[in-house]
Amino acid sequence: MGALSFLKDSVFAEEYAAGGGFLQSLDPRVKAITFLLFIIQVLFARSIPALFFLYGLCLFLALVSRINLGFFLKRTWVFIPLFALFIAIPALFSTFSPGEGLATWDILGTKLTITRQGLAAAVTFIMRVAASVSFAVLLTITTRHIELLKVLRIFKIPQVFVMTLGMCYRYIYLFVSMIEDTYRAIKSRVGVLVHYKSGQNIVAWNIAFLWSRSLKLNEEVYRAMLSRGYEGEARVLDEFKTQVKDWLWLFSVAALYLIILWMT
Amino acid sequence: MDDLIFALKDVYFSYLGKFPALRGIDLEIKKGQKVSVIGANGSGKSTLLQILDGLIFADKGEIGFRGRKLNEKIFYDPGFSRDFRRRVGFVFQNPDVQLFCPTVKEDIVFGPLQLGLEKNEIVKRLEKLVEGLGIGALLERQPHQLSVGEKRKVAIASTLIIEPEVLILDEPTAGIDPLTTRHIIDLLIEENLAGSTIITSTHDLHIVEEMSDVVYVFGMDKKIVKSGPAEDILNDTALLSANNLVHIHSHKHMGKVHAHPHLHIEHHNNPG
Ligand SMILES: Nc1ncnc2c1ncn2[C@@H]1O[C@H](COP(=O)(O)OP(=O)(O)OP(=O)(O)O)[C@@H](O)[C@H]1O
Ligand SMILES: [Mg+2]
């Protein structure tokens, strides 16, 4: 359950979005564009120093946006292995990346050799995933969920898609909260000493039930939105405003983009 | 007939086609009236209120709103839909359902923003409500982190800010402390004096008298058992106890335990 709460906190925390750091003060549209540039650059960068530089830049931005670095690292590194490990590990070995051997194991008759090229490829890959995931996460935690959806709309992503995304987000949130509540309810009825294993069993048994319950709740939330005049596209109080700062930021990111491109 | 807001004729509703929730409801609600709906758990109160708010639609029977028939189709018309949402506000029984924005403030202004109200006007109304309900300290908090009563206050604010002509409240005072209950009732009565129609469902018998010109009692069979002025209903102890609305209360009096039917209103009718 600890893992679940952590996941919930890290995916749904909105407190940073409301905080008064550097990124929070940018126009969400400009922020989204520049982050897109960063991510594109990361995905196409082939030099390891450039990747390290971009990743460092990301951490620096997190710092000046008053984001707790520990929280940020934990949050991003939860996702990174998910993306990286399964794809990067096979590439380490000579079967997939032939080259100069660094270390060799003999496992069950299969010879596994780590090659220099393989290692470089793996480091590049992991850094790529780490930096792009970090940029994506940084964008999402410094921007309110509703604003993010609105930015998607501005980029001409169809409304149905954005609405569905918003609904999924809410749904997952409700679902996770419900699992948490249920777990607490079980604990209160069965006693504190419930073994986490049996607790999990009960939760597992109830998952179908929870599913339908949170679906129902989601439906009700949707009704509540309708009841207050929601017509498919949420309006937010603070309309986006671009300031001089936003333009400066946009130009410096574009310049940096070109410099890195030219240098590597 | 001009001042008729809602007119229901023989309305039936069941969930998923197999769980009946309303079985033949007839009622009329006039402009400026205070109406309350009372009844045991599961007697169909919330279902009725959601039907009135055009959130779910009857299986059978007719629902009229100011001379027009409410059905799913009529809400496809954006003009009607917006007009209806502006006129009718609904406070859900479960405040968790009603609060879905990242901060309390955004939640409160959600309705008027969707309905296209002026920004300045929204801010003005917000300030007034925040003061009236004493929720200033909550504005930047996340709604799901509030206590049940705080959530309910925010939910009420998020509906009141629309300043609807018809206010539908599903158990507005459940889980709210006595003083805040008083504030909310005063607020609602003020709205009513200004001309709003107020429809509440409640188990809280001591707010019934103030909140109703007409009381509808819903029975276990999901029908209206009785309707009439508040005093007639509240004095009908047999009816109330048959519908789970009074309980047997045990007291200790000088060391002896007494048990007698206990009307909630008895305490509260006395001034003080
Ligand atoms: N989503 C649902 N699916 C199936 N049945 C439902 C659903 N919601 C309500 N019901 C059933 O419909 C009936 C009426 O429910 P409703 O919520 O209207 O009662 P209520 O009078 O508001 O009760 P309470 O005082 O507990 O709020 C109940 O028998 C209930 O079991
Ligand atoms: Mg109810």
Side-chain angles (χ1 to χ4, degrees):
Chain A
M1 245 350 90
L4 194 67
S5 310
F6 172 68
L7 196 73
K8 185 175 149 194
D9 283 348
S10 55
V11 181
F12 298 98
E14 290 255 2
E15 54 257 36
Y16 284 115
F22 171 68
L23 289 173
Q24 291 90 331
S25 71
L26 290 174
D27 181 319
R29 289 170 300 183
V30 172
K31 192 167 36 174
I33 293 172
T34 53
F35 273 66
L36 206 63
L37 273 181
F38 281 135
I39 292 173
I40 290 172
Q41 185 144 51
V42 162
L43 291 181
F44 288 101
R46 260 182 252 119
S47 103
I48 294 183
L51 283 171
F52 270 99
F53 172 74
L54 285 165
Y55 183 59
L57 181 66
C58 183
L59 295 186
F60 174 72
L61 286 174
L63 219 57
V64 294
S65 302
R66 300 196 197 150
I67 286 161
N68 181 320
L69 214 53
F71 164 85
F72 184 68
L73 287 175
K74 254 200 280 174
R75 180 163 179 175
T76 44
W77 284 93
V78 170
F79 295 106
I80 291 164
L82 237 67
F83 288 92
L85 243 47
F86 292 100
I87 314 171
I89 285 188
L92 269 177
F93 299 102
S94 60
T95 340
F96 301 96
S97 307
E100 185 189 332
L102 276 182
T104 307
W105 290 279
D106 207 341
I107 297 167
L108 301 170
T110 329
K111 224 172 169 191
L112 292 172
T113 307
I114 289 188
T115 62
R116 182 178 298 282
Q117 286 80 355
L119 185 67
V123 170
T124 312
F125 186 83
I126 290 179
M127 279 316 291
R128 235 182 236 167
V129 175
S132 53
V133 166
S134 302
F135 274 115
V137 167
L138 188 58
L139 175 66
T140 56
I141 55 179
T142 55
T143 317
R144 286 175 183 202
H145 162 63
I146 292 192
E147 283 175 346
L148 216 53
L149 290 180
K150 221 182 152 191
V151 168
L152 291 181
R153 281 289 295 140
I154 288 167
F155 290 140
K156 297 279 176 275
I157 312 249
Q159 181 170 319
V160 183
F161 179 76
V162 176
M163 244 174 83
T164 314
L165 206 67
M167 226 116 91
C168 283
Y169 176 91
R170 251 194 4 248
Y171 178 68
I172 293 169
Y173 181 81
L174 288 171
F175 188 63
V176 172
S177 317
M178 205 103 66
I179 294 183
E180 251 179 354
D181 284 351
T182 308
Y183 187 75
R184 248 182 247 138
I186 291 168
K187 218 153 94 172
S188 86
R189 263 179 264 176
V190 182
V192 211
L193 286 177
V194 58
H195 191 273
Y196 82 98
K197 220 88 204 223
S198 67
Q200 274 173 350
N201 280 340
I202 303 175
V203 171
W205 277 110
N206 278 300
I207 223 105
F209 163 69
L210 282 171
W211 196 275
S212 76
R213 203 160 62 139
S214 56
L215 197 65
K216 181 176 162 245
L217 201 59
N218 195 38
E219 201 182 295
E220 284 178 17
V221 171
Y222 182 62
R223 273 189 216 149
M225 296 174 78
L226 282 183
S227 169
R228 284 197 273 155
Y230 177 71
E231 287 163 356
E233 188 171 354
R235 298 186 178 87
V236 205
L237 188 56
D238 305 300
E239 285 301 336
F240 300 149
K241 277 192 284 289
T242 32
Q243 301 163 311
V244 183
K245 181 160 78 173
D246 293 305
W247 290 109
L248 279 178
W249 168 247
L250 185 62
F251 284 123
S252 16
V253 172
L256 188 69
Y257 184 90
L258 293 176
I259 291 170
I260 294 181
L261 208 64
W262 176 72
M263 278 179 34
T264 56
Chain B
M1 289 295 270
D2 260 354
D3 57 353
L4 210 56
I5 301 269
F6 285 110
L8 272 65
K9 262 189 225 120
D10 202 26
V11 168
Y12 282 78
F13 182 88
S14 64
Y15 287 95
L16 310 169
K18 56 183 170 186
F19 303 110
L22 296 175
R23 286 199 177 116
I25 302 296
D26 295 285
L27 58 83
E28 285 189 348
I29 295 170
K30 296 202 180 76
K31 188 167 166 26
Q33 243 180 354
K34 288 177 292 182
V35 174
S36 64
V37 179
I38 61 177
N41 292 130
S43 56
K45 304 180 295 295
S46 298
T47 307
L48 173 76
L49 298 188
Q50 296 203 37
I51 285 190
L52 294 180
D53 196 38
L55 297 174
I56 51 179
F57 300 94
D59 300 337
K60 218 181 96 186
E62 255 176 39
I63 300 126
F65 172 72
R66 295 160 46 97
R68 298 186 68 173
K69 256 184 231 168
L70 279 194
N71 51 35
E72 214 158 348
K73 264 197 218 114
I74 200 169
F75 281 94
Y76 295 160
D77 169 5
F80 176 83
S81 171
R82 183 173 274 212
D83 181 62
F84 184 86
R85 298 297 170 211
R86 225 183 246 195
R87 287 175 191 275
V88 185
F90 187 53
V91 178
F92 281 74
Q93 178 168 8
N94 177 358
D96 278 326
V97 160
Q98 201 168 343
L99 307 174
F100 42 76
C101 294
T103 66
V104 166
K105 185 171 160 200
E106 280 165 86
D107 235 313
I108 299 178
V109 300
F110 180 86
L113 278 177
Q114 309 315 306
L115 294 167
L117 259 77
E118 270 302 302
K119 299 259 152 73
N120 296 340
E121 175 65 21
I122 296 178
V123 173
K124 219 171 72 195
R125 289 185 189 181
L126 176 71
E127 280 166 5
K128 198 179 118 208
L129 269 173
V130 162
E131 198 189 328
L133 287 165
I135 49 177
L138 306 180
L139 284 183
E140 297 301 327
R141 301 263 308 270
Q142 295 184 46
H144 63 266
Q145 294 172 340
L146 304 181
S147 80
V148 178
E150 288 169 339
K151 279 184 197 169
R152 197 175 294 283
K153 281 196 249 180
V154 174
I156 290 174
S158 71
T159 304
L160 282 180
I161 196 169
I162 301 172
E163 299 191 351
E165 300 167 13
V166 182
L167 255 172
I168 305 176
L169 305 111
D170 200 349
E171 304 197 21
T173 58
I176 289 209
D177 63 59
L179 188 64
T180 311
T181 299
R182 197 59 251 163
H183 283 320
I184 289 171
I185 299 299
D186 288 345
L187 212 69
L188 295 177
I189 288 174
E190 210 177 288
E191 294 290 324
N192 178 251
L193 289 174
S196 310
T197 310
I198 306 217
I199 306 165
T200 24
S201 93
T202 187
H203 292 130
D204 199 351
L205 288 184
H206 60 263
I207 71 167
V208 166
E209 182 158 32
E210 281 182 285
M211 290 314 300
S212 9
D213 299 318
V214 186
V215 182
Y216 289 93
V217 183
F218 275 57
M220 306 285 200
D221 55 357
K222 280 114 181 151
K223 290 181 192 163
I224 294 170
V225 200
K226 187 172 173 179
S227 66
E231 52 180 327
D232 288 6
I233 304 285
L234 293 176
N235 289 329
D236 192 343
T237 317
L239 172 83
L240 293 179
S241 52
N243 285 288
N244 293 8
L245 293 163
V246 282
H247 55 212
I248 306 294
H249 210 62
S250 321
H251 290 279
K252 250 191 174 163
H253 271 315
M254 292 179 232
K256 280 190 205 145
V257 177
H258 280 256
H260 59 80
H262 167 85
L263 270 173
H264 276 273
I265 38 168
E266 281 165 3
H267 305 283
H268 301 271
N269 271 349
N270 314 327

